[in-house]
Structures are given as structure tokens and as C-alpha cells.
Amino acid sequence: MMLAQGLDEPMQMAILPDLDVIIVERKGDVKFYDAKEKQIKTIAHINVYSGIEDGLLGVAADPDFAKNHWVYLYYGLTGERNVSQLTRYDFVDQKLDLNSKKVLLEVPTQRTYCCHSAGYLTFSDGLLYLSTGDNTNAEEIEGHNPTDERPGRQLSDDQGTTANSKDYRGKILRIKPLPDGTYTIPDGNLFPKDGSLGYPEIYVMGCRNPFRVSVDPKTKFVYWGDVGPDTNVPAEEGFLSYDEINQARKPGFFGYPFFLGANEAFPKYDFETKKEGPKQDPSRPINNSPNNTGIKELPPAQPAMIWYGKGESKRWPMVGKGAASAMAGPVYYSELYPNAKYKLPEYYNGKLFIYEWIRKWIMAVTLDKDGNYVSMEPFLPHLKVIAPMDMQIAHDGAMYMLAYGTNWFAKNTDAGLIRVEYSEGNRNPIANIQADNTIGAAPLTVTLSASQSKDYDDGDKLAFNWKVGDRIFSGTNVKHTFDKPGVYNVALTVSDQAGGSGVATAQIKVGNSPPDVVISTNANRSFYWDNVPFDYKVIVKDAEDKTPEQENMKLAFDYLPIGKDFAAALSGTSHGNLRYAATETFYASLDCKSCHTMDSKSIGPALKEISKRYATKNGAADLLSDKIIKGGSGNWGTYPMPPHPNLTTAQSRELAGYILSLTGEKPVLATQGNINLEEHVGQGTEGAYVLAANYTDKGANGIEPLKGSAFVVLKNPLVQLEDFEKGNVSVSIGTKNNGFVTSVPAGNGKFVSFTKIDLNHIKKIKFRIQEEGEGGILEIRQGSVDGSLLGSIAIAGVKSKDLKREWKELRADIKPTTGQTDIFLVFTNPDKNEKLLFYIDWMLFER
């Protein structure tokens, strides 16, 4: 069940003893989910540096939280100092006391290049584990590993971070926190406590981006997913670009940047001469980099337990292919949950859960008695968690997960806190809240419905109980008026007769009404005619803003050729270019966004920079399309771009066109004007023009700014009859026998209808008719099959013995109407025994 949704980049959660949950978001908010009240709220905001991949990254509750109420956070410190801090705060009365801050540890970082911050926190036996990313330039590696030893290039040398025993980055640190806010070094870390060989906090080194970490509660083995590089170095499975699931049975060095997977070695690459040298020996790796401040002879490199690249894996075919971000979850033991209501079946005893942030799967990994890998299998494949970010098991046996959501670096409606309960026998109902309104000015009347809730056990009788603000209701539907501004929590509990229950939550925001945006025009609102001007005027009304501000208004006008998704174009997601709005949605579903942002450099160059570079080249669309499918390196600091062989040529061309469109400057539209419709000329009978207007208000009464939208879609006036909205006719498919014309057989008493047709300025409708049949009347009616008659045509019909397979174009005069209406084409013949009257191919609306 989704306990809370709409989070803004959730990174980690801490499950408290009473099943309350603390969630940290990357930009600095600390959220609190109240399990009793079934509500989520913001309890603190930490001022963090959230550039590159930094921010508020980790949270953990002290093992003795029930007594001391301590919460640990890890985040990038804002300001001039380039450090990330491991801190401790007091959590009192559901609030984080920011004045109680104690800094346990600081990790110096660089903020010049992206990437890899990691930042996960977890406890085991009173010891706190912290994962840190290598924080090294991941782009300019020329298809190799980041070991650039040239002067001035120390930020591109992982030998100075993850392979450096006297650097905290690219590590898993292990410490023993003390009550006074300091810590001690536990026995059994990688280096001596005196720091003579390396920082004594280090438990594991040689990591790239150890993003999620867990500790086996019985064996104390440490597991983590390490997000791998993109290289052009040949390897056992494609290229040496593996993501890894690692297992540390004891402290050690896990290979990077010298080794990946089963200790497959990178050749020594000279960034000055561009030549490859010998590979290292994993039994005795040496770090001779001038950027290394620690020991030169490193501990023997430990291989990964599971590893896989961008292509299909021969060893682990279940992991799939494509971009990857490996994560490690908990190891489950049944005996740790003896009386837990939701404990998993005994089948999962001793299994390790791993999951994929990009590929969106969860696997249960079977280990033998010594902890060796045996097999893996999908776990809850139907769950469909969008970018799983964290996974933990609560003391009641329920599994909690954080979903990051669809879009990167953004607040997502599908980002949230998920609770998975296993129950033998009776299955819990699934609660679902539907609201006719979730935001508006006070007073606001809202109708809430539980009708979409489900129970998969046939015959269960469900009870619906609501908590709306501080009011209690029961029943499937609830109608409530919120009189005062504020943010009100709504919780629905659905229960069955066997004691099973499910919960859903929502929020109602009162105090700001969405803007009302209208596009008025004297022209037709349904169709365009070439070189005919379209006049428009955008009118905005907002109850709180009173006088709308022009800078908050955005207008976009584009011509969309055949096959475009109007819904995506009108959603407001496009960067000012409605032509490629659907393509932008498709782009967001791919792995490209893991390396490319819109405006700023990430692992790869910004999309707008790519657009600028290619826009000046001949055949730019073909060049870029080919690069998208084949991949490559050398154009942008030589960080390799992985290939996308599964894309079709048409898809890659569309993506190329979208990227190239990003630098095309669209003229700023005034809120009133005339547009000559000329872009369609010579483009056939498809395509559409779209005018979209958005206004974002200033917010009011503590409610965030809201957006109102309006749009006009102008389609070609030639409409194929088989594209009807509703009707009771069949469709005659085009074949050689009928000249490959798809048409509608007009049967006696049959009809077809088309919705929201504007007949303003329409004087006639021309139909392409084949008179094969008994003939009859084609009636054009408004609103229904019995509605007002707008026009008609008498069609003679041709008997089969006189049949001539010819198409004729016949016109019907149309009565003037105002506004958009539904039109019905009704086919009749006084002789009710006659069946087939004639065929219709298309209709054309004429001025």
C-alpha cells in the first residue's frame, strides 16, 4: 500500500519502533510519516548543498532510539566549505531539534565535477556504517577508468580517493557512536586504530558509488550495490562497465578503479600518450599515483558476488539489460520476527534482497550455508515500484520501500512510501481515495469516494472509515466542506470482516484556487484551413491574484505532424516545443536521463549543449540519430555513451529531432494576436496546430502557486469516417477489391458520431460516397440521433446489377450553430427491410 506519495527526491528512511517513519529528501526536507494518524508532514529543513548528486542523503535512528531519541543524518554542508557531514540530532515531540546538532565526522569533497556521493546510513550491533561515493570526475575518462595522473587532473583520479587509504571517499566507514556526540573505532576495521596505514574508520575501500548498504544480522556480512562505470574496455561480458552486488565477509579492498566484477583488470592507461599498459595483479595491487596520500601496496582485491553490464548477462540473465543502478537490500531471517503479523513465508529465510533503481526489479538471492551465491528469482514482480530507492523490513515483518518516482531531480506524484504486508489466508483490502477536488479557495466542498478500493477475496464485506482533518466519517462516499484555509490530511481505512485492512492517504489544500484560463477566438476552434488566419485572446482570472502578472503567463504555438500525442503536448511538460512533447515523454522513459540533464552538465553534456553543437552540422538529425543507436565516445571529454540497439531508426530520429529542437528559439507570443496558419501547406491531410496557454499564480494562504491551462487544437478539416467516436456500424477494411479504401457501410438505422465539433464558419460538409446499396438519407444531427437536423443528403443508391464502383463527392448545406457540439450522422431509408444503403469514405468541412 502507498502510505504517502508526492515526495521530492526521497533518499532514505528510518523506521521507528512505533512504525512511524522519518524520510529525508535530497534538497533538505525531513518528512515524518505518523503511522497512527496516517499522515505525513515536514518536520525540518536542513540547509544543504544539493548540487551534482549531493544533498541530504542518509538518515538512521539510533539502535536505542526508544530511550535516547537520536537521529543521524548525512548531508552536503552548504556554504564555502566543501564537506559532507555525519551529524546527530534530537528527535522530540515529532520534531527534529536543529539546535541539538552534533557533528561526528566530516568528509572533504570536491564540487567541481560530478559524481557519486552515496551517503547511506545503517546500524548493526551498535555500529554505524556510512557509504561514500568516489566523488571523482566520471566523464573525462576516454573510455577507460578514472586514473588520470597528469598535473592539474587530480579530480579525475580515483587513485586519490577510493584507492587512497587516507581518504574517506569511495568507502564504507564503520564507527561506534558515543553519547557525547563523538565516536570510537571498533575492533576489526581495515586499518590499525592509530591511523598509521590509513584512516581507521575505513571498513571497505575500492568502491565507486556504494549507494545502498545492508548488514546481515546473523553473519555480519556487509552487502552493497556498487553503480558501475561506462567504458570501452573489452571484458567477459561486453565491456568492463559492470554494476556490482558485493559481499564483504571481512574488511577489505574491493578493486576499483583497478578491477571490476570477478577481478577483471583495467589496463594501465596513460592519458598523456593515449597508450595502454599492463594490467594490475589483483593479489597485490599497487597505487603509485602522485595523488595517493596513503599506502602504496593495497590489500588484495576482493571480487564482486554478482556483476552485470549494459547488455544481456550470460551468468545472470534475469537482470535484463540497459542502464543500471544496483542496490542491496536486507537479508531476511524468519526467527528474527517470531510473532510478527506480516512475516514473510519460511521460503525466504536466509535470502538476500537486491533491487534495481533503473530496471525496477527486485530479486531474492539464495545463499548457501557459507554465504555463497546459489541462485536468484524475481520478488513481487507485479509491484511495479518506480525507481526503488530504499528497502527495509520493520519489526512487524512488513517490508517498506521508498519510490523515487519517474523524473530525476524533481517532485513526483509516483514518489512515495510503500508498505508491503504478507498475509496468509485472508488478503488485506486495498484502499483507494478518489476526490472530485483537492485544491481551491475556502470554503471548499469536496466529495470523497472509496468506490475504487478493492478486495481480492471474493465475498468479503468491506467497511469504509474516514478521517478528514480532525473529523471521523464512515461510508463509501463522504462530502465535506472545509471552511478555513489550510492543508488537511485525509485517511481512508478499508476493513473486511476477517480483520484485514488497508489504508490510503491524501491531502486537501484550501486557500488558493487555480487560475481560470480561457482562449477566446472568432475563428473555428476545431479545424484549420491553409493560409487562413487564426485570431486569439488569452483571458486569465484568478481570485487571489486579482490582477494577473504577465511574466507568469506562458504561451506556446506549434504545428504537430502526423502521429503526435496531443495529450503529451497539452500536459505542459514540454520545454516550449509542443511538436516534440510526446517525444520528451518518451525520452524521460529511457536511461538517457541518467547522464544528461536539460541545462547543466552531469555525467554527460547538457541536452541543450548537444543541440547547439549538432545544429550547425549538415545532416545533423542523421548524425545524432546514428550516435544514439550505436553509442560512442570522444566528442564530449571522451566519456562513452552506451549504445541503444533496441531503439528503431524512427525512434532515434524522433529523439534526435527533439534534441535539435531545444535550441530553436520560439517567438514570444503576445496574449492577443493573429497567427497565419501556413506551416501545414504541402503536408498532406494530417497534422494539427496547437495553441496552449498556462498561467501560474503567486500562491495564497500558505498554499503553493497553482497553474491553470487552456488550449485549442486545430485539426485538418478532412475527417476519415472510420475515425468516429461512437457508433453502431462496422468498418469495411481497404483491400484490392475495393481500391484499398477503408470506409463505413451505412446501414439502415445505423449512426456514427464525432464529439466537440465547432461548426462556426462551416457552410457545407462534403462527403465521399459510393452508392453501392439501396440508397437513402444521410442526416447530420446535433447532440443525438434524434437531435436538431443540421443538414441532409439524399443518396440514390445503385442496384447490384447496375453496380459501378465509383466514388462521388456530395455536399450538404449546414445550418449555423454556436459553440462546440457533438454531431451525429444518421443513415435511414423508409423501407426498414433495406439493409445496406451506401458507403462513406470521408467528410470534409468547408467554409
Side-chain angles (χ1 to χ4, degrees), residues 245-290:
I245 299 294
N246 284 286
Q247 178 196 70
R249 303 185 182 190
K250 60 182 181 179
F253 171 60
F254 279 77
Y256 202 70
F258 306 122
F259 313 97
L260 272 182
N263 279 341
E264 289 186 72
F266 287 96
K268 174 67 175 176
Y269 182 70
D270 190 321
F271 284 81
E272 186 69 40
T273 65
K274 314 303 181 188
K275 294 182 178 179
E276 291 184 352
K279 299 177 180 180
Q280 289 243 31
D281 178 0
S283 67
R284 189 174 174 268
I286 304 296
N287 186 352
N288 282 324
S289 170

Side-chain angles (χ1 to χ4, degrees), residues 152-228:
R153 299 288 297 170
Q154 63 270 18
L155 301 185
S156 300
D157 185 8
D158 248 336
Q159 298 168 112
T161 61
T162 182
N164 185 350
S165 66
K166 292 193 174 180
D167 193 288
Y168 286 124
R169 293 169 293 177
K171 310 292 195 300
I172 297 177
L173 310 178
R174 188 176 74 154
I175 62 174
K176 172 72 173 179
L178 298 177
D180 63 358
T182 61
Y183 64 88
T184 60
I185 304 299
D187 294 335
N189 278 3
L190 185 57
F191 298 113
K193 294 183 180 182
D194 63 5
S196 57
L197 299 180
Y199 287 156
E201 296 88 351
I202 297 172
Y203 187 77
V204 165
M205 64 184 295
C207 303
R208 184 174 183 266
N209 194 16
F211 204 63
R212 291 294 172 261
V213 179
S214 72
V215 182
D216 187 310
K218 292 181 66 175
T219 67
K220 308 308 173 187
F221 293 172
V222 179
Y223 294 93
W224 69 97
D226 208 348
V227 183

Side-chain angles (χ1 to χ4, degrees), residues 345-494:
E346 184 66 25
Y347 176 80
Y348 291 102
N349 185 52
K351 295 187 190 299
L352 164 70
F353 290 100
I354 63 175
Y355 53 108
E356 248 288 347
W357 191 69
I358 289 181
R359 301 184 188 182
K360 302 178 180 64
W361 49 246
I362 305 171
M363 298 284 179
V365 177
T366 300
L367 307 169
D368 67 17
K369 61 182 180 60
D370 298 318
N372 299 310
Y373 172 88
V374 175
S375 63
M376 71 170 68
E377 60 192 283
F379 178 75
L380 299 179
H382 62 281
L383 192 58
K384 307 300 182 186
V385 179
I386 305 301
M389 178 59 77
D390 194 11
M391 175 190 291
Q392 298 179 30
I393 300 176
H395 65 76
D396 67 348
M399 181 176 286
Y400 283 73
M401 283 181 279
L402 280 182
Y404 182 88
T406 300
N407 298 309
W408 289 38
F409 306 115
K411 183 177 181 179
N412 291 295
T413 57
D414 53 5
L417 175 65
I418 298 170
R419 176 178 160 96
V420 179
E421 299 174 350
Y422 173 76
S423 177
E424 293 184 358
N426 181 58
R427 288 175 287 186
N428 290 328
I430 299 174
N432 185 301
I433 297 174
Q434 299 291 317
D436 66 342
N437 203 353
T438 60
I439 195 161
L444 180 67
T445 300
V446 177
T447 299
L448 301 165
S449 174
S451 61
Q452 297 300 311
S453 300
K454 299 178 182 178
D455 192 309
Y456 288 106
D457 294 328
D458 293 337
D460 275 5
K461 296 180 180 180
L462 301 181
F464 305 95
N465 294 287
W466 301 82
K467 185 174 182 181
V468 182
D470 56 359
R471 299 283 302 278
I472 303 297
F473 302 92
S474 62
T476 306
N477 299 308
V478 169
K479 189 173 185 178
H480 181 68
T481 299
F482 299 88
D483 296 316
K484 297 180 180 180
V487 178
Y488 297 88
N489 291 298
V490 174
L492 166 66
T493 301
V494 182

